[in-house]
Amino acid sequence: MERADERRVVAGVSGTLGSLTALHRAAAEARRTDAVLRAVLAWSPPGGELGQRSQPWPELLTECRRVAGDRLLRAVDTAFGATGPGVPMETLVVRGTPGVALIAATNGPEDLLVVGAGARGGLRRALHPSVARYCLAHATCPVLAVPPSPLQDDIASVHRRISWHMPLNARELAD
């Protein structure tokens, strides 16, 4: 049962390296402030909410919710392993867009919202609005935007080098 006066550090989790970095920072903040860590994963039905309204399929929604829950648990396990985060933790799977879900997962000004502030290219920004920017504009609690892990650039660089040197037929097989 949730207490209204309980402090929370809420972190958005998707399983990406950036979200795992933010989750680790959120756990450190929860330890520092003696708060509960709340890991939140937002999901939307295939085709979005409009598609679901025009052709509802309850079994698909149930399966999507289950898959989202599994993804959240895998991300938490990837981040902390069997030892866990070292603080009390709640996991929450929310149907909706990430920014709205994260704002709804906070309880007020005593909470802290931790989001990843990943690198953003022009095309990516046009197709996927910034969750961090949305949270900064709408949250009633402090928001901590965590920069990407330095390892993220190293991983991307290695991936580019491997892809560049692959023969054409191997690239076709990788797709």
Side-chain angles (χ1 to χ4, degrees), residues 53-75:
R53 273 186 253 150
S54 66
Q55 293 189 339
W57 190 0
E59 297 84 9
L60 178 63
L61 291 181
T62 301
E63 182 63 13
C64 289
R65 165 64 177 85
R66 186 194 63 73
V67 168
D70 290 347
R71 188 167 139 207
L72 176 57
L73 294 177
R74 270 194 317 277

Side-chain angles (χ1 to χ4, degrees), residues 149-163:
S149 166
L151 295 175
Q152 202 161 342
D153 288 336
D154 294 342
I155 291 169
S157 174
V158 168
H159 179 70
R160 278 192 303 273
R161 274 186 271 154
I162 290 170
S163 298

